[in-house]
Amino acid sequence: MDYGKHYSVMKSDVIQLLRDNFPIDGNFNFSDLTFGAGGHTCEIAHLYNNAHVYSFDQDPEAIENGKSRLVKEGLEKRVHLIHSNFTFFEESLPSGLLLDAVLLDAGVSSHQFDKAERGFSFRFDAPLDMRMNPSVGASAADLLNGMTASELEGIFREYGEEKFSKQISQAIVDFRKTKRIETTKELENICFHAYPKKLRHGKIHPATKTFQALRIKVNDEIKVLEDVIGQVIPRLALNGIFMVISFHSLEDRVFKRGFKDWKEEAYPIEILTKKPLLPTEKEIFENSRSRSAKLRVIRRVKDWPSKNKYPRKE
Ligand SMILES: C[S@@+](CC[C@H](N)C(=O)[O-])C[C@H]1O[C@@H](n2cnc3c(N)ncnc32)[C@H](O)[C@@H]1O
């Protein structure tokens, strides 16, 4: 798989935020929760050449690719790749380490979408897998074949905001009477025929929202975002910043509410983006995937109120 042509979303905004807040010749501890193709990590590690970087990815392919990229770019001594879900953030970092900046660029990478065998996309006919880490948890096919119509309907409605959740989940259950659903194309077809005839050829394909919902469920994407906020904030150094890039309203809502909630709990954080930063028209033109991106940032502004080094919200 070619990781070479990856376009990192809102990279220049992220770099500008860092430059505005941290001198490039100082000591700098950074963590990238979503290494992906390494676009953000490597740019930041080159810019801050004293930086120590801790980059997570749960996808074994991203880690394998990352190892050789880091060696090629001479960064392997300062960038520590951690093959783990970032839900294990706190326990994966050296104890006592405080971070000047943390970045989370949510969701799946274009490589995951574009590699047929990963089963994320109905552009290809492939087994329905959708796990970012294929050796952990149930595949999309296992979930689809194991859930009741009302469970499926709830997932499609909650994570896909799909208007025809009921029709699609009923069609899935009907299909299963003859055989298990195994492939992306089978699910695409089911969604297509579950839609009212006159809406089947609209701007958005009838399977789009169902695929999104299923992917979010398979990887528990909303829950891990909720969990990680409470692990990152206590690890921020004084004046440390946490930057998050989201791609749909469900993700953005987690950050918007989560940050507000932590601030109200008297945690010494400041929300730097009352409104999220958005990509420029130029970026959207160059990379259409960035069109729905939103960047929110918080900063730790004071010492923790307690003697405990890493106070955790109960
Ligand atoms: C949008 S891509 C990141 C792209 C990256 N910023 C770049 O510039 O190349 C998201 C990456 O995060 C990883 N990822 C998503 N959720 C994760 C999680 N909960 N734990 C660890 N990695 C995750 C995915 O496997 C994917 O490789």
Side-chain angles (χ1 to χ4, degrees):
M1 167 99 301
D2 178 15
Y3 272 84
K5 292 189 206 104
H6 182 77
Y7 192 116
S8 297
V9 171
M10 298 190 79
K11 190 162 71 176
S12 52
D13 302 84
V14 167
I15 297 294
Q16 194 57 50
L17 276 159
L18 295 179
R19 279 180 168 280
D20 289 348
N21 284 283
F22 308 99
I24 53 171
D25 49 0
N27 288 329
F28 184 67
N29 289 325
F30 170 66
S31 180
D32 184 347
L33 300 185
T34 48
F35 178 80
H40 289 108
T41 286
C42 293
E43 177 102 4
I44 292 165
H46 283 303
L47 181 66
Y48 287 84
N49 54 25
N50 293 321
H52 282 278
V53 180
Y54 301 83
S55 293
F56 289 75
D57 208 297
Q58 61 180 329
D59 185 334
E61 286 182 14
I63 295 292
E64 273 320 298
N65 168 70
K67 280 185 193 156
S68 39
R69 175 165 184 182
L70 294 179
V71 171
K72 237 187 258 163
E73 301 196 19
L75 293 172
E76 75 280 13
K77 292 215 169 68
R78 291 189 296 115
V79 178
H80 312 283
L81 273 184
I82 302 167
H83 181 210
S84 167
N85 192 308
F86 58 63
T87 199
F88 302 110
F89 177 76
E90 165 57 30
E91 63 201 77
S92 307
L93 291 178
S95 92
L97 177 79
L98 290 178
L99 295 155
D100 298 298
V102 179
L103 172 68
L104 193 162
D105 176 14
V108 290
S109 67
S110 23
H111 308 288
Q112 289 163 335
F113 263 127
D114 292 344
K115 192 165 175 185
E117 310 89 279
R118 303 298 298 265
F120 283 103
S121 171
F122 53 85
R123 281 178 294 145
F124 315 106
D125 193 10
L128 258 176
D129 190 313
M130 298 195 183
R131 286 171 294 181
M132 293 190 211
N133 183 347
S135 47
V136 172
S139 69
D142 288 341
L143 288 182
L144 263 191
N145 288 292
M147 284 191 290
T148 64
S150 73
E151 286 169 332
L152 290 168
E153 187 187 337
I155 287 165
F156 301 152
R157 186 170 308 122
E158 186 180 351
Y159 296 142
E161 293 167 335
E162 171 53 72
K163 269 202 216 137
F164 299 102
S165 303
K166 199 178 179 66
Q167 290 81 341
I168 292 173
S169 49
Q170 192 51 53
I172 288 171
V173 171
D174 291 343
F175 185 97
R176 286 188 335 211
K177 287 180 188 149
T178 48
K179 73 179 277 297
R180 256 178 73 91
I181 303 170
E182 299 284 3
T183 69
T184 50
K185 285 290 173 193
E186 282 169 346
L187 181 59
E188 179 198 6
N189 250 313
I190 293 170
C191 296
F192 182 81
H193 289 104
Y195 255 53
K197 262 194 181 141
K198 58 176 191 282
L199 298 179
R200 287 180 189 167
H201 298 279
K203 234 173 147 187
I204 297 180
H205 187 285
T208 304
K209 292 179 173 177
T210 298
F211 270 68
Q212 172 187 301
L214 201 50
R215 183 204 98 198
I216 292 175
K217 174 70 183 165
V218 166
N219 296 290
D220 215 359
E221 289 180 35
I222 301 303
K223 171 84 168 38
V224 293
L225 296 183
E226 285 164 352
D227 282 355
V228 83
I229 296 176
Q231 298 185 44
V232 169
I233 291 178
R235 279 282 192 164
L236 290 178
L238 186 60
N239 296 320
I241 63 173
F242 183 22
M243 303 169 282
V244 294
I245 303 173
S246 61
F247 290 89
H248 52 77
S249 56
L250 294 173
E251 289 170 345
D252 185 52
R253 209 174 301 150
V254 172
F255 297 125
K256 192 176 169 191
R257 285 194 189 151
F259 291 163
K260 219 169 132 219
D261 179 37
W262 277 78
K263 195 168 180 310
E264 277 165 10
E265 296 272 336
Y267 269 73
I269 59 167
E270 175 187 11
I271 297 172
L272 298 185
T273 44
K274 298 284 173 278
K275 290 227 164 96
L277 303 177
L278 304 176
T280 59
E281 277 180 22
K282 179 171 176 279
E283 175 165 355
I284 296 172
F285 177 76
E286 286 169 4
N287 174 25
S288 63
R289 189 179 173 246
S290 69
R291 69 188 177 279
S292 50
K294 287 185 176 165
L295 170 60
R296 292 186 186 270
V297 191
I298 56 168
R299 172 162 56 202
R300 180 187 152 194
V301 285
K302 282 194 218 127
D303 277 329
W304 299 120
S306 93
K307 286 194 186 117
N308 181 351
K309 235 177 166 186
Y310 305 120
R312 298 290 299 270
K313 196 164 67 144
E314 294 310 315

